Amino acid sequence: VQGNLDNNSNSRKVVFEPSPYLVVFKKVVVSVLCALLYVKLIPSFPIQRVKEAEFVEDTTFPYKMYYLIISTTLVRFKYYHAWLLADAICNASSLGFNGFDQNGNPRWDLISNVDVLKFEVHRGSYVF
């Protein structure tokens, strides 16, 4: 925590700015995890396979759904990687600080590209 004098008021009180290190670390870890999962698993589930005649004609409907869910999720991982890494960079430069929550914990969601968990679990609540 770094203390700076508040130059925007007449008082000389010290304002403590929260450290972004923990939120940056978490976002970088999740970003790298998304990249690793994409690189490791996309060869096993290439999205191009869904256009092949063998896939369309010779696979069962449940397998097609299973394969589409896995392959499209893996494709989204490359975007999650980029978006989370961009969030981490913004937070590392102290952009994205959004004040404190009711418990006094710093919020780092002012500048945010995506909330992966909310997007994957509560997709119906988003308006595009």
Side-chain angles (χ1 to χ4, degrees):
V1 178
Q2 180 182 6
N4 294 322
L5 290 177
D6 184 3
N7 294 324
N8 295 326
S9 69
N10 293 330
S11 71
R12 301 303 290 169
K13 71 178 183 176
V14 175
V15 177
F16 291 100
E17 297 176 4
S19 172
Y21 295 129
L22 182 60
V23 72
V24 169
F25 178 76
K26 287 178 182 179
K27 287 182 179 182
V28 168
V29 167
V30 175
S31 174
V32 169
L33 183 63
C34 286
L36 288 174
L37 285 171
Y38 176 77
V39 169
K40 277 302 241 182
L41 297 177
I42 202 67
S44 300
F45 296 93
I47 194 81
Q48 296 84 0
R49 183 164 180 244
V50 300
K51 296 188 293 184
E52 296 173 358
E54 176 268 325
F55 181 82
V56 174
E57 296 168 3
D58 298 338
T59 56
T60 64
F61 182 76
Y63 180 76
K64 287 176 187 171
M65 290 296 102
Y66 162 78
Y67 190 89
L68 282 169
I69 290 169
I70 299 295
S71 63
T72 56
T73 300
L74 288 173
V75 169
R76 287 194 304 272
F77 278 6
K78 70 179 171 183
Y79 297 105
Y80 295 154
H81 162 67
W83 291 332
L84 289 169
L85 190 59
D87 280 356
I89 292 167
C90 288
N91 291 155
S93 65
S94 293
L95 293 173
F97 178 65
N98 197 16
F100 296 91
D101 65 9
Q102 62 272 17
N103 298 326
N105 299 319
R107 292 177 39 214
W108 289 94
D109 59 353
L110 184 62
I111 297 176
S112 185
N113 290 309
V114 67
D115 184 334
V116 175
L117 189 60
K118 279 186 183 176
F119 183 78
E120 289 294 331
V121 176
H122 303 291
R123 198 168 307 152
S125 63
Y126 284 89
V127 177
F128 293 101

